[in-house]
Amino acid sequence: MAYRESQDRLNDTNYHSVGAQEYGGDYGEPKKGLSKWVKVGVPVAVVIVVAAVVGGVIGSRSSSKTSSSSANSGSTGEPNPSDLASVKTAIGMFATATNAHSVPVYPSTTNAAAFTEPTFVAKAGSNAAVTWNTDTFQPANPAPTTVRPDRPRLIAPAYKWEQLPSFVASDPYMKAWNDTIMNDAAQWESMDPVPYVIDGGLNKSGVLDVARSVKQRIKTFAYAYRVTGQTMWADRAWKELQNASGTGSQPFGTAPDNWNTQHFLDVAEFTAAFAIGYDWLYDVWTDQQKTTIRTAILNLGLNFGIQAYANNAGYGWWRTVNGNWNCVCNGGLTMGALAILGDDTTGTAQQILGYTIDNAKANCAMGPSSDGTWSETPNYWYFGTTGQAELASSLLTATGSTYGLMTANPEFADTGLYHMYVYGNQQMFDYGDHGPNKYSTTANAMMFHATQFNKPEYMLFQRDRIDAAEPWTMFWYDPSVTGAFWNNLPLDHNFDDPLDAWASMRSSWTDVNGLYVAMKAGNHTGHQTHGDLDAGDFVIDALGVRWAGELGSGDYLSDGYFSSEAQDSQRWLYYRKRTEGQNCLVVNHGNQNVNAATPTTFGSSGTAQGSSTVFDDPSDSTAFFTTDLTATYNGVSIKRGIRMINGRKQVLLQDDISNSQQPIEWRMHTNATVATNGASATLTLDGNTMQVQILNAPSGVVFGTADPVRYSDDPALPAGMTDQPNPGVTVLTIELPAGSYNLQVLFNPQWPNMQASDYKTPSMVTLDQWSLTSHN
């Protein structure tokens, strides 16, 4: 089976521009064809009820001292429990709201008692009032097929359920999450079981949305039963499981392949859902109910996994890839096996564990590249890390070890840092494909990784995010974590693996109205056909607005969309994947070369935010990123760079072009209303203004605008295919005839406290001469 053609298709909801729908809610049917970025700041109905996240947007630009040291992790000092409790009570949840894209909004305040450096203040078992007890299941010689004697086994052992009520009562985050989970349960309880709806064909996106929705509900219903003891929740979980097993009153797929091996993610997620239901509700099930659930796990899940591994079934192609598919598929099969070990008389559960763990270590663990960047895209990071964390956590709680899964790739410890830096002040630098609905998929692997890698800043970052409120968090979160993730965290980071090669820079971690800039280079292969032809692509956030943004995924059902990453792939015919669909230069209307190396340089003043949410950058604070794009433009000498200037209040984008024999177009996609006037452009959006200038513009070089559509002379799309429309998007352009240029484009956000005289016009410095002081 062709890997790319069997990929999951994007739900056409605007994932990173539609408020809280960015996360794992039970979302309605998408409006097919809408842009992934065009509806910036337009919230939609959200099923998840977010407790204690209310209020308006708060931002400031006041003064504070800064530090250049990096975040400190892992202090083992133990405070007085009453002191910790009083701080929690006084401060509550740090974020007071979320913006339209679910980025936390922090109050403008300094609180030395709460906003300390990130740390875990107590070791497991040291103080039951502060942190989790030590797990008494500590096998001397762990084995994947030797499981703990008590239930649950998966992720949430009984000793944690026993402590949970006290933490819900004392920790404001855990109380808010618990309330949200119970509200979700109440809402889904009255709904019919998730119906079997095929998305584009069983060999396309299949029933992945169905599987993840079932998993989301089972987690929630099982949690609700265990915290309340009310059998109504177990009954509702059974109704969902019976329906999805194909033994209910309504048809559910076609036997014996009800869970759809043609798109094996579906099988994996259904298997994980049934594993959770079997394990977390084990004590309430009758023998017949256990048989029904166990039979489904075996016949609809694990047996097909055995065929993939032992008999090389075609639907098992995911065994040799390092992306999210490997993590999710191995994770689901492993959870299913662990759940039924001891009750399975066929030996299948034991047999599958002989395959999945080692395979995941060789493939899933390699999802992050050498700098922590997820090798697919920022959105596929969610699916890969969720699958990996569920797999590792289940092994740890059920058998007492992760068997090297957490250490097989040392860079997995840094992929949480990647997630933090790829998030801007407004939204994510969401290059490449965005992926399908997330439903049960969240960023809460950050919680698990925080303890496994001793990175408390991961936990502190994620706990203020809207998708934190779900059952995994209740057991991966350590209530002894304290401090502020931003305290001493550098504003900038360079991710230098040639596969992606990108940089992130910002003016503040806590001001949603602050400045954020990111640019990428990198190779266009090795991304599991989820990337774009986008070397030199960039985004800019300022004034609470994204000014330069991404269009996101095309239609996953389009012919050839996942055909390959080769230069002649049909994928590169679609506008959102072509170079012209990015914030890039386009040479003679052509695409970039997919196999080109793009050397980069990076510089940063090392500015780090202090403990306060109120932060003003020093006047000499800066960061820059440059890349040589000559190879990706097939020998046309082009270098591109971007930097923050004037104390991180302005942005300079520069292109050094030498003796091009072909015309070049500069392109930037924006939701703003654009008014051009020669070498100046005024962008307005949501009551804010960005002034853009071409500095020292050559004669005839001016700003223009274009529609976000393919060039008229582009190669034809596959027969019967069309591009998705991009309503509300304007392309700001600059046309450059053949020749040589040092093209400087200056972005001046119109900050409310700055006068015209406060803005600086930088001198022209060639990119090869850029330094930390070159634009002072």
Side-chain angles (χ1 to χ4, degrees), residues 629-707:
L629 302 174
T630 301
T632 202
Y633 286 113
N634 298 300
V636 180
S637 179
I638 296 177
K639 297 178 181 179
R640 167 165 277 202
I642 199 164
R643 71 182 299 140
M644 291 180 164
I645 65 171
N646 195 14
R648 300 180 184 255
K649 296 178 178 67
Q650 298 167 262
V651 177
L652 175 65
L653 175 67
Q654 182 169 320
D655 294 292
D656 290 355
I657 302 167
S658 299
N659 196 30
S660 172
Q661 302 301 305
Q662 303 172 85
I664 295 174
E665 185 177 50
W666 182 104
R667 294 171 69 86
M668 186 189 92
H669 294 74
T670 183
N671 285 155
T673 298
V674 179
T676 63
N677 182 15
S680 298
T682 301
L683 279 55
T684 55
L685 183 60
D686 295 343
N688 299 285
T689 301
M690 171 78 79
Q691 299 287 351
V692 190
Q693 297 175 277
I694 305 173
L695 301 182
N696 304 310
S699 177
V701 174
V702 298
F703 280 117
T705 60
D707 292 329

Side-chain angles (χ1 to χ4, degrees), residues 176-510:
W177 299 332
N178 179 78
D179 291 347
T180 299
I181 296 167
M182 294 306 298
N183 285 333
D184 289 342
Q187 184 162 6
W188 292 327
E189 191 276 335
S190 61
M191 297 181 181
D192 291 334
V194 180
Y196 196 89
V197 178
I198 300 171
D199 185 1
L202 289 173
N203 67 337
K204 296 288 187 176
S205 292
V207 287
L208 181 59
D209 278 1
V210 178
R212 285 182 170 148
S213 185
V214 169
K215 181 182 174 185
Q216 182 184 41
R217 291 188 182 189
I218 295 303
K219 286 166 60 176
T220 301
F221 294 144
Y223 176 91
Y225 169 75
R226 293 197 66 90
V227 298
T228 67
Q230 296 175 338
T231 57
M232 61 176 286
W233 300 116
D235 293 341
R236 183 58 186 84
W238 170 248
K239 187 177 180 182
E240 203 73 53
L241 291 165
Q242 186 179 39
N243 179 67
S245 70
T247 61
S249 59
Q250 300 296 320
F252 197 88
T254 302
D257 194 14
N258 306 64
W259 291 354
N260 187 31
T261 57
Q262 293 185 63
H263 191 247
F264 206 84
L265 286 176
D266 311 2
V267 175
E269 295 286 38
F270 276 124
T271 304
F274 274 59
I276 298 159
Y278 190 83
D279 181 56
W280 281 22
L281 298 173
Y282 189 84
D283 294 336
V284 77
W285 297 136
T286 66
D287 288 344
Q288 182 57 52
Q289 287 174 318
K290 289 177 185 175
T291 298
T292 298
I293 302 170
R294 189 169 61 247
T295 299
I297 291 173
L298 286 166
N299 293 345
L300 305 181
L302 301 189
N303 285 339
F304 290 112
I306 295 296
Q307 291 300 312
Y309 275 109
N311 298 324
N312 202 31
Y315 50 72
W317 56 263
W318 46 266
R319 292 170 297 150
T320 59
V321 299
N322 65 5
N324 78 99
W325 274 71
N326 190 276
C327 298
V328 172
C329 292
N330 278 319
L333 293 173
T334 299
M335 292 176 73
L338 292 173
I340 65 173
L341 271 176
D343 294 346
D344 168 33
T345 60
T346 69
T348 304
Q350 184 171 353
Q351 185 181 3
I352 198 70
L353 290 171
Y355 294 113
T356 58
I357 301 170
D358 287 342
N359 186 266
K361 286 164 59 178
N363 295 283
C364 167
M366 303 305 153
S369 55
S370 65
D371 57 18
T373 298
W374 191 259
S375 59
E376 291 169 292
T377 71
N379 273 294
Y380 276 92
W381 173 95
Y382 284 80
F383 301 109
T385 57
T386 295
Q388 187 268 358
E390 290 176 345
L391 168 57
S393 180
S394 295
L395 284 169
L396 184 63
T397 55
T399 73
S401 175
T402 62
Y403 306 97
L405 184 61
M406 303 304 295
T407 55
N409 177 8
E411 307 312 324
F412 225 111
D414 294 327
T415 201
L417 196 70
Y418 162 71
H419 180 68
M420 293 169 69
Y421 279 98
V422 86
Y423 244 107
N425 292 53
Q426 274 300 296
Q427 58 194 84
M428 185 181 289
F429 180 23
D430 45 358
Y431 57 83
D433 286 344
H434 291 177
N437 284 321
K438 291 188 167 53
Y439 291 108
S440 57
T441 301
T442 68
N444 290 326
M446 294 277 279
M447 304 284 193
F448 180 68
H449 292 161
T451 55
Q452 292 298 302
F453 297 127
N454 196 24
K455 300 276 191 178
E457 59 269 27
Y458 292 177
M459 189 173 288
L460 293 166
F461 178 89
Q462 175 59 15
R463 72 179 185 177
D464 284 322
R465 301 280 161 164
I466 198 172
D467 62 335
E470 58 104 17
W472 288 171
T473 302
M474 303 303 290
F475 306 98
W476 286 343
Y477 183 70
D478 184 345
S480 78
V481 71
T482 189
F485 76 84
W486 60 82
N487 191 335
N488 277 338
L489 184 63
L491 299 178
D492 316 313
H493 195 88
N494 182 37
F495 296 82
D496 59 1
D497 189 292
L499 182 65
D500 294 284
W502 72 284
S504 169
M505 49 196 92
R506 70 187 71 219
S507 63
S508 169
W509 282 103
T510 51

